Amino acid sequence: MSSVDEAHGVGSSQSTIEEGDVEKEQHGGINDFANGGPVQETDAAQHAQQKESGDVVVEDAGGGSGGGAVEKQVTQVSAKPSVHSLRSIPNGGLQAWLQVLGAFFLFFNSWGVTNTFGVYQTYYETGILASSSPSDISWIGSVQAMLLLFVGALTGPIYDAGHFKMLVRTGSFLVVFGQMMLSLCKEYYQVLLAQAFCIGIGAGCLFVPSVAIISQYFTTKIATAMGIAAVGSSLGGVIYPIVLYRLLPQVGFGWSTRVIGFILLATLIVPNVFMKVRILPAQKRKIVDVSALKEPAYALWVTGTFLGFTGLYAPFFYIESYSISTGIMKPNLGFYLIPILNAASIFGRALPNIMADKIGPYNMLIPCSIMTAVLNFVLIGTHNTPGIIIVTLLYGFFSGTFVSLPPTIFVALSPNRGIIGTRMGMGFTITSIGLLIGTPSCGWILNAAGWKYVWIFGGTMALAGSVFIILSRMVQSKWTLVTKV
């Protein structure tokens, strides 16, 4: 170590975690590297900025007398990545895009599985759970979706502690195991345990890694990267229903679900092999950030997502059953509505996210959320096959932004990147309650009043959510109408 380092007590510090490839952010000290040559004195603001970003630190190497120039010595510091430093984020490159590929398959096997439940809902009503009401059956899907978000929020501190690989491995095991156990189920409680709880908890373990990893590798391209990853959920929602529907009459429910389990197993190899955390906060993350709830933009946003998700999944769970039970479509065509919806959602998650990088995530999400509300109301007067298909395509496209854009908005609503996980976890926990109560409420309404009021409920909740999201956007932009936000 140089004499300058000794004089100023410059030391080195490095901590690693279980994967061996992640360095924790260093706060309280400057890491040693190599000393540079003399440079001219910089102003205080630039000095502070350089010190914070981890580029150079200017040290006083001694003073002159009699008005002589004071020579400054620069100590370069190691460019250890900081969770707060945007300059250290690669914003592209092979390793960054491999994370997007891994996140794609995590979405494929978490949200993709959840988006498939509409097919199971229709099958269960006439199959192994025919003795159960539509509301009871929908609890299976709603609990699964709720646990995806709720468990995801609880696993945030585990992720921050450096156990990324453990989360992905545990989630992968539970999702595959739950799917295999589902193939053996005959009773309602068995399906609830396997499909709702086991797969739901497993998907929750996969959710945080799928969204948290993107912000570590991208800045200006974050919405695009998130959109590409989120396309995985739509593609899963296309492939899994078709596999189930095509195999059911040939090999039965048991082997149909096992085949899906093997697909889950194969595709989850990718994130387990290629994904890794780049950096972690030096301090443990809080589970709850009370100050966030006092910020109007954040509080309004979370209220909006809660209401929006309460109504969002009404068509996902019921449009197939609606078209078949009312005689609008024959079963051999009606079963393809969920794949059609999810296929349209592929474009609804990719294209709006690309636009969001240019015009802002709020500005992109708001018109899409309003359209999801409108399309729920349109279903009230849709009574023919072409109309149902058109509404399904449009609903798939516009509803896609509800999954792909919220993580980007949570990043925008976080003062620094060290608390993104906390705020995202809190928000998704509240949102998960909407997912839990939304579709069972549709089932109760269906039994009590019929299909018309199911769509009124879904549209009203989505519209109310849109209003709160608009208010959050206006507060965040300081009531500026034309601005990127």
Side-chain angles (χ1 to χ4, degrees):
M1 186 177 295
S2 68
S3 60
V4 174
D5 287 341
E6 292 172 356
H8 293 277
V10 178
S12 63
S13 176
Q14 175 176 332
S15 66
T16 59
I17 62 170
E18 60 183 35
E19 285 87 347
D21 55 11
V22 181
E23 294 177 343
K24 287 197 175 181
E25 179 189 359
Q26 304 300 316
H27 286 293
I30 301 170
N31 304 297
D32 59 331
F33 193 59
N35 294 330
V39 297
Q40 294 180 346
E41 181 178 2
T42 59
D43 64 292
Q46 185 177 355
H47 176 90
Q49 183 179 6
Q50 289 171 332
K51 185 172 182 179
E52 182 179 357
S53 64
D55 293 329
V56 293
V57 177
V58 182
E59 301 291 353
D60 191 349
S65 59
V70 179
E71 187 183 65
K72 297 288 183 177
Q73 182 78 19
V74 174
T75 301
Q76 290 183 328
V77 296
S78 64
K80 289 201 173 185
S82 166
V83 73
H84 302 291
S85 176
L86 296 180
R87 297 182 62 182
S88 68
I89 299 175
N91 202 35
L94 176 61
Q95 191 62 45
W97 289 110
L98 282 175
Q99 308 314 302
V100 175
L101 177 64
F104 173 93
F105 283 111
L106 293 183
F107 271 101
F108 186 87
N109 294 308
S110 54
W111 282 106
V113 172
T114 300
N115 290 343
T116 303
F117 188 77
V119 175
Y120 287 99
Q121 174 87 23
T122 304
Y123 170 75
Y124 290 153
E125 289 177 6
T126 57
I128 61 175
L129 301 181
S131 60
S132 301
S133 68
S135 178
D136 291 338
I137 293 172
S138 68
W139 273 109
I140 299 169
S142 64
V143 169
Q144 183 189 78
M146 182 275 292
L147 287 173
L148 191 158
L149 290 179
F150 184 75
V151 173
L154 296 181
T155 56
I158 300 175
Y159 170 89
D160 286 343
H163 304 293
F164 170 83
K165 290 289 188 184
M166 184 192 75
L167 283 176
V168 175
R169 290 166 186 163
T170 301
S172 299
F173 170 78
L174 288 175
V175 168
V176 174
F177 179 74
Q179 187 69 24
M180 294 302 186
M181 291 299 100
L182 179 61
S183 68
L184 306 175
C185 295
K186 303 295 182 183
E187 303 291 336
Y188 178 85
Y189 78 92
Q190 295 172 337
V191 177
L192 186 69
L193 288 173
Q195 191 168 18
F197 285 95
C198 190
I199 295 178
I201 293 172
C205 291
L206 300 178
F207 179 58
V208 165
S210 69
V211 297
I213 200 77
I214 302 295
S215 66
Q216 293 193 5
Y217 286 86
F218 293 91
T219 52
T220 60
K221 301 176 183 177
I222 186 171
T224 300
M226 193 71 72
I228 294 172
V231 164
S233 62
S234 300
L235 191 60
V238 172
I239 292 175
Y240 290 137
I242 292 176
V243 170
L244 181 65
Y245 175 66
R246 300 296 293 180
L247 291 180
L248 271 173
Q250 300 180 37
V251 297
F253 179 75
W255 270 107
S256 298
T257 52
R258 288 184 200 110
V259 169
I260 292 176
F262 286 121
I263 297 174
L264 288 164
L265 178 62
T267 52
L268 283 168
I269 292 174
V270 176
N272 277 276
V273 171
F274 292 110
M275 295 187 77
K276 65 178 182 179
V277 179
R278 193 175 63 88
I279 45 113
L280 291 172
Q283 298 177 342
K284 291 184 178 180
R285 196 195 83 185
K286 297 178 181 178
I287 296 179
V288 177
D289 178 16
V290 179
S291 64
L293 299 176
K294 299 176 182 178
E295 297 176 12
Y298 182 88
L300 289 166
W301 161 249
V302 171
T303 303
T305 57
F306 165 78
L307 294 171
F309 272 89
T310 300
L312 179 69
Y313 271 78
F316 276 90
F317 278 38
Y318 287 103
I319 196 168
E320 187 174 294
S321 178
Y322 166 68
S323 65
I324 295 174
S325 65
T326 56
I328 296 174
M329 302 179 75
K330 294 181 179 180
N332 62 344
L333 182 58
F335 265 103
Y336 284 98
L337 283 178
I338 297 301
I340 289 171
L341 190 154
N342 285 304
S345 187
I346 293 175
F347 301 98
R349 297 182 189 191
L351 298 180
N353 278 61
I354 294 173
M355 288 297 299
D357 278 330
K358 301 180 182 299
I359 68 173
Y362 270 110
N363 294 337
M364 193 68 252
L365 177 60
I366 288 170
C368 292
S369 64
I370 293 173
M371 282 302 300
T372 61
V374 170
L375 290 167
N376 268 282
F377 293 123
V378 169
L379 280 170
I380 297 171
T382 306
H383 304 295
N384 55 68
T385 298
I388 284 287
I389 293 175
I390 291 172
V391 172
T392 301
L393 283 168
L394 292 174
Y395 195 84
F397 179 86
F398 289 109
S399 65
T401 57
F402 258 103
V403 173
S404 60
L405 281 177
T408 307
I409 294 178
F410 277 115
V411 172
L413 290 174
S414 301
N416 64 71
R417 291 180 175 249
I419 61 171
I420 289 173
T422 298
R423 296 198 168 200
M424 197 178 291
M426 288 170 54
F428 282 134
T429 298
I430 296 170
T431 300
S432 71
I433 299 172
L435 273 174
L436 177 64
I437 65 176
T439 52
S441 298
C442 291
W444 296 329
I445 293 169
L446 175 61
N447 290 334
W451 286 111
K452 174 182 177 181
Y453 293 95
V454 170
W455 308 132
I456 290 176
F457 172 79
T460 302
M461 291 296 101
L463 186 60
S466 300
V467 171
F468 278 91
I469 292 172
I470 291 171
L471 291 174
S472 174
R473 184 256 184 226
M474 296 306 293
V475 172
Q476 181 69 3
S477 66
K478 296 179 172 59
W479 301 94
T480 304
L481 193 60
V482 181
T483 186
K484 179 181 177 180
V485 64

